[in-house]
Amino acid sequence: ETGVTQSPTHLIKTRGQQVTLRCSSQSGHNTVSWYQQALGQGPQFIFQYYREEENGRGNFPPRFSGLQFPNYSSELNVNALELDDSALYLCASSTGTEGDEQFFGPGTRLTVL
Amino acid sequence: GEDVEQSLFLSVREGDSSVINCTYTDSSSTYLYWYKQEPGAGLQLLTYIFSNMDMKQDQRLTVLLNKKDKHLSLRIADTQTGDSAIYFCAVDGGSQGNLIFGKGTKLSVKP
């Protein structure tokens, strides 16, 4: 069974640029959640996708957007990057059942200069 | 909104017990979780407790839940150097399926 994978591992961008991060969910999982973890902080919920539809969203501006594909993999897109977007971006997949464990990927470290 | 608080640091000697504490504000959370994060890695679920339970034991891990005080704790028995990591308390955020995390407690285990 393949776990949750994310790409790329590390990324460096400059202010104003756009970035796309990718996540492959664990086999059998139809739900993907994205979290932002700033240095020294706990992860903060960005949004969740269930069967290709956005299922919930945290307190992030519209320049954070996402997609989920028919194979349940997902993308996180961030436009007009700001310095404060520098963080570890974590993807988690689950079956979408209440209380079901969310399996986290290793994350993508984004640095915005 | 929901707030989850943890102390930031804990230092123990190898072989001692570690107790990591967490408080939360929303009493409607159904599931409460403990995650472990090692340097450069993602989050690993250690254990969770359902809100109608007071205690859950899983090998070296014991979770205690005091719903009245909205207090959750994680006890690690016979702490080893491999337990050194950041431990996050998290509660479910309700219908969105999201998790709300504390800032994490960095556990340092001295030989």
Side-chain angles (χ1 to χ4, degrees):
Chain A
E1 185 180 88
T2 306
V4 179
T5 59
Q6 292 186 243
S7 62
T9 308
H10 295 88
L11 202 50
I12 299 174
K13 291 283 188 179
T14 55
R15 273 187 306 173
Q17 284 190 310
Q18 178 265 342
V19 70
T20 298
L21 309 182
R22 295 180 175 82
C23 170
S24 290
S25 58
Q26 186 161 310
S27 176
H29 289 182
N30 56 20
T31 302
V32 172
S33 303
W34 285 93
Y35 293 82
Q36 180 196 65
Q37 186 179 15
L39 200 61
Q41 303 293 315
Q44 289 206 309
F45 176 69
I46 303 174
F47 43 57
Q48 181 183 85
Y49 278 83
Y50 171 70
R51 294 188 174 180
E52 303 178 59
E53 298 284 331
E54 188 178 289
N55 187 43
R57 189 178 181 92
N59 189 25
F60 280 81
R63 59 189 184 83
F64 285 78
S65 63
L67 280 175
Q68 187 178 32
F69 300 99
N71 67 355
Y72 303 128
S73 66
S74 177
E75 284 183 356
L76 164 65
N77 298 290
V78 187
N79 292 322
L81 283 166
E82 300 177 1
L83 296 180
D84 284 350
D85 295 333
S86 294
L88 180 68
Y89 288 84
L90 295 163
C91 159
S93 75
S94 64
T95 63
T97 305
E98 184 187 3
D100 184 46
E101 178 179 354
Q102 294 193 24
F103 290 81
F104 282 83
T108 293
R109 173 74 62 188
L110 172 65
T111 302
V112 182
L113 303 175
Chain B
E2 172 77 86
D3 193 27
V4 178
E5 298 280 345
Q6 301 177 239
S7 52
L8 296 182
F9 301 98
L10 177 65
S11 181
V12 301
R13 292 217 172 267
E14 193 173 19
D16 287 351
S17 291
S18 308
V19 179
I20 302 171
N21 294 301
C22 168
T23 58
Y24 58 97
T25 55
D26 187 353
S27 58
S28 66
S29 294
T30 306
Y31 294 89
L32 302 99
Y33 305 84
W34 285 102
Y35 281 86
K36 176 182 180 182
Q37 187 175 40
E38 297 185 78
L43 298 172
Q44 174 197 353
L45 178 66
L46 287 177
T47 187
Y48 68 94
I49 189 167
F50 190 57
S51 59
N52 69 353
M53 298 168 66
D54 297 324
M55 185 181 87
K56 181 178 179 182
Q57 189 150 2
D58 185 1
Q59 299 182 329
R60 292 191 297 125
L61 305 178
T62 304
V63 179
L64 295 178
L65 174 61
N66 181 328
K67 281 197 72 174
K68 175 175 167 288
D69 294 339
K70 298 177 191 171
H71 182 269
L72 183 72
S73 68
L74 173 69
R75 178 177 180 269
I76 305 173
D78 186 25
T79 313
Q80 302 297 306
T81 53
D83 295 324
S84 293
I86 300 177
Y87 290 80
F88 290 94
C89 169
V91 302
D92 72 78
S95 58
Q96 291 186 112
N98 59 305
L99 297 174
I100 300 168
F101 288 84
K103 290 186 178 180
T105 299
K106 184 173 182 179
L107 174 65
S108 298
V109 182
K110 296 185 164 100

